[in-house]
């Protein structure tokens, strides 16, 4: 039942987990069957006791084995198909986060169970959701959308069960799993690609949404400010696009919320202005709507579909490291 391939790149504890799961699937390990003790496995296969304990703990969290005090470990379930249970914590389900979420679930496979939670940029709720769900899942995907450090809270989750997604927690070492957007570089490079078009406007404005659940990382503001300063451009940062705010001709706007985007399109239509000529618009993060509204809106966007694919791959393969996800700029003529 237990066999270790010395030439395999797979860690010994994972080989032990896979061997026991194979034993369950083959019928060799039936429900109620006792497993060899941690000490026996460690001694027989020259393994550290902590390595065996880690494997057994993982199997227990999958719901496949249970421990009885003073008696050892037993097979408690033969349902190995739903062995992976994933906790996903996002800020809010915006259109592009829905693309990310669906990509993660699709690429994790049908046999994975999961629960999705939202923290809405509420630090107290964020900590409560993590703390109350420790030990209930064997993998945690956390999107820590805050402009202050959350390292203390997130570090409650064992690093071998954690994937930090979308945001780079810089306090964590590279033996964590981190897949993030480089916001400062992405907006700087995206705007640099369209510099000549930006220059035809008298001013470029970054429209935030501080009164909504739309999160704006500090890196976006820093990258935008750097781009404008380096290229000697007039610029402004608008906290919110209030109902009484008047858009200006011969200015360009970078907008985040689709609600604000539609408000801009309605304003240009009402005033008989041409998007891409009289007023420039760039939207951050692509969605299907932006391909068709106003004959297409130019976007600077993270590739959320690829991020979901890569996130699932990192979980399945238990990969560690810090990795920046791909982004792109699409010119659809609105600038």
């Amino acid at each position: 039942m237990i066999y270790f391939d010395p030439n395999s790149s797979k860690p010994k504890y994972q080989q032990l987990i896979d061997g026991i799961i194979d034993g369950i699937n083959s019928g060799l390990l039936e429900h109620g069957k006792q497993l060899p003790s941690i000490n026996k496995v460690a001694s027989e296969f020259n393994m550290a006791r902590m390595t065996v304990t880690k494997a057994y703990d993982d199997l227990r969290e999958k719901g496949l084995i249970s421990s009885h005090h003073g008696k050892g470990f037993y097979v408690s379930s033969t349902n190995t198909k739903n062995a992976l249970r994933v906790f996903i914590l996002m800020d809010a389900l915006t259109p592009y986060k829905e693309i990310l979420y669906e990509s993660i679930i699709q690429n994790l496979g049908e046999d994975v169970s999961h629960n999705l939670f939202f923290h809405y940029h509420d630090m107290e709720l964020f900590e409560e959701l993590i703390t109350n769900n420790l030990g209930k899942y064997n993998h945690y995907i956390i999107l820590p959308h805050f402009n202050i450090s959350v390292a203390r809270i997130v570090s409650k989750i064992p690093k071998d069960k954690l994937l930090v997604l979308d945001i780079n927690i810089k306090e964590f070492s590279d033996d964590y799993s981190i897949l993030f957007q480089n916001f400062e570089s992405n907006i700087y490079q995206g705007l640099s690609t369209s510099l000549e078009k930006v220059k035809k406007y008298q001013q470029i404005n970054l429209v935030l949404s501080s009164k909504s659940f739309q999160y704006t990382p500090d890196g976006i503001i820093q990258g935008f400010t750097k781009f404008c300063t380096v290229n000697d451009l007039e610029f402004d940062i608008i906290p919110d696009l209030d109902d009484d705010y008047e858009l200006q001709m011969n200015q360009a706007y970078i907008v985040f919320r689709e609600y604000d985007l539609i408000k801009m399109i309605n304003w240009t239509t009402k005033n008989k202005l041409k998007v891409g000529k009289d007023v420039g618009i760039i939207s951050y993060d692509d969605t299907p709507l932006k391909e068709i509204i106003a004959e297409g809106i130019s976007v600077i966007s993270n590739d959320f579909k690829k991020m979901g694919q890569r996130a699932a791959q990192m979980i399945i393969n238990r990969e560690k490291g810090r990795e920046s996800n791909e982004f792109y700029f699409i010119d659809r003529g609105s600038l």
Side-chain angles (χ1 to χ4, degrees):
M1 178 188 66
I2 300 175
Y3 168 77
F4 294 97
D5 181 0
N7 299 316
S8 175
S9 60
K10 189 182 295 184
K12 270 193 169 184
Y13 84 91
Q14 186 60 49
Q15 291 191 54
L16 176 55
I17 291 169
D18 292 345
I20 291 174
I21 290 176
D22 287 344
I24 293 172
N25 288 334
S26 67
L28 180 63
L29 287 176
E30 300 174 342
H31 185 275
K33 182 83 172 182
Q34 185 173 7
L35 297 174
S37 69
I38 290 174
N39 288 335
K40 183 174 182 180
V41 175
S43 174
E44 189 168 338
F45 295 99
N46 193 28
M47 296 173 67
R49 191 176 185 279
M50 286 300 297
T51 302
V52 183
T53 301
K54 182 179 180 182
Y56 275 27
D57 283 346
D58 195 297
L59 288 164
R60 182 163 47 188
E61 289 183 7
K62 292 178 189 294
L64 296 176
I65 70 173
S66 59
S67 60
H68 300 278
H69 184 67
K71 294 185 178 179
F73 294 87
Y74 296 81
V75 176
S76 58
S77 173
T78 56
N79 183 14
T80 59
K81 288 187 175 180
N82 290 321
L84 183 60
R85 301 195 309 282
V86 180
F87 172 94
I88 304 174
L89 180 55
M90 292 184 167
D91 54 336
L93 194 59
T94 55
Y96 50 90
K97 294 286 175 55
E98 188 172 0
I99 295 170
L100 172 61
Y101 166 71
E102 289 179 352
S103 180
I104 292 171
I105 299 308
Q106 180 181 356
N107 286 279
L108 281 176
E110 296 179 357
D111 297 331
V112 175
S113 62
H114 72 280
N115 290 109
L116 176 63
F117 301 86
F118 301 101
H119 58 75
Y120 301 108
H121 315 293
D122 182 327
M123 185 68 75
E124 190 173 317
L125 177 59
F126 179 76
E127 183 166 13
E128 181 181 310
L129 286 168
I130 288 176
T131 303
N132 290 347
N133 285 282
L134 290 174
K136 296 181 181 179
Y137 299 84
N138 39 46
H139 221 97
Y140 295 78
I141 301 174
I142 307 295
L143 283 74
H145 287 87
F146 297 93
N147 282 321
I148 58 176
S149 176
V150 294
R152 176 190 64 81
I153 299 170
V154 180
S155 63
K156 293 180 179 182
I157 302 169
K159 65 175 68 175
D160 60 324
K161 294 176 171 57
L162 173 64
L163 172 62
V164 178
L165 195 57
D166 209 33
I167 303 295
N168 185 15
I169 299 183
K170 295 179 181 179
E171 295 93 334
F172 284 177
S173 58
D174 289 341
D175 58 348
Y176 278 83
S177 299
I178 304 174
L179 178 61
F180 68 100
Q181 293 190 61
N182 190 332
F183 294 102
E184 181 174 348
S185 174
N186 290 359
I187 193 168
Y188 184 88
Q189 296 298 330
L191 290 173
S192 297
T193 301
S194 56
L195 177 59
E196 292 307 311
K197 289 192 174 184
V198 172
K199 281 183 174 180
K200 73 183 183 183
Y201 296 99
Q202 295 174 356
Q203 181 171 300
I204 182 168
N205 306 285
L206 182 66
V207 181
L208 309 183
S209 303
S210 60
K211 295 178 183 178
S212 74
F213 288 130
Q214 175 65 54
Y215 164 75
T216 306
D218 286 341
I220 286 181
I221 298 173
Q222 292 160 1
F224 170 76
T225 303
K226 177 182 176 182
F227 168 78
C228 295
T229 303
V230 167
N231 294 289
D232 196 25
L233 300 172
E234 292 292 328
F235 70 96
D236 191 17
I237 298 175
I238 303 169
D240 287 282
L241 199 64
D242 294 324
D243 291 336
D244 58 352
Y245 183 88
E246 286 289 335
L247 299 182
Q248 302 296 314
M249 284 186 60
N250 299 317
Q251 294 193 16
Y253 297 85
I254 302 172
V255 63
F256 292 88
R257 293 197 306 164
E258 289 193 351
Y259 177 82
D260 289 339
L261 175 60
I262 292 170
K263 189 186 296 185
M264 285 185 173
I265 300 302
N266 287 340
W267 182 86
T268 57
T269 301
K270 178 181 177 181
N271 290 276
K272 298 181 180 179
L273 300 176
K274 177 69 175 175
V275 175
K277 181 180 179 182
D278 302 311
V279 176
I281 299 177
I282 300 176
S283 187
Y284 206 92
D285 290 326
D286 199 16
T287 63
L289 174 68
K290 296 168 188 176
E291 297 181 36
I292 58 174
I293 189 173
E295 300 179 1
I297 299 297
S298 301
V299 294
I300 298 171
S301 183
N302 180 56
D303 193 326
F304 287 101
K305 187 173 182 181
K306 283 191 176 180
M307 177 174 268
Q309 293 170 346
R310 184 69 184 116
Q313 187 180 47
M314 291 177 77
I315 289 172
I316 292 169
N317 297 333
R318 295 177 175 266
E319 296 181 43
K320 304 298 177 188
R322 191 185 308 271
E323 187 176 313
S324 176
N325 194 60
E326 294 182 30
F327 89 103
Y328 54 82
F329 171 75
I330 299 178
D331 184 357
R332 296 188 176 123
S334 67
L335 185 61

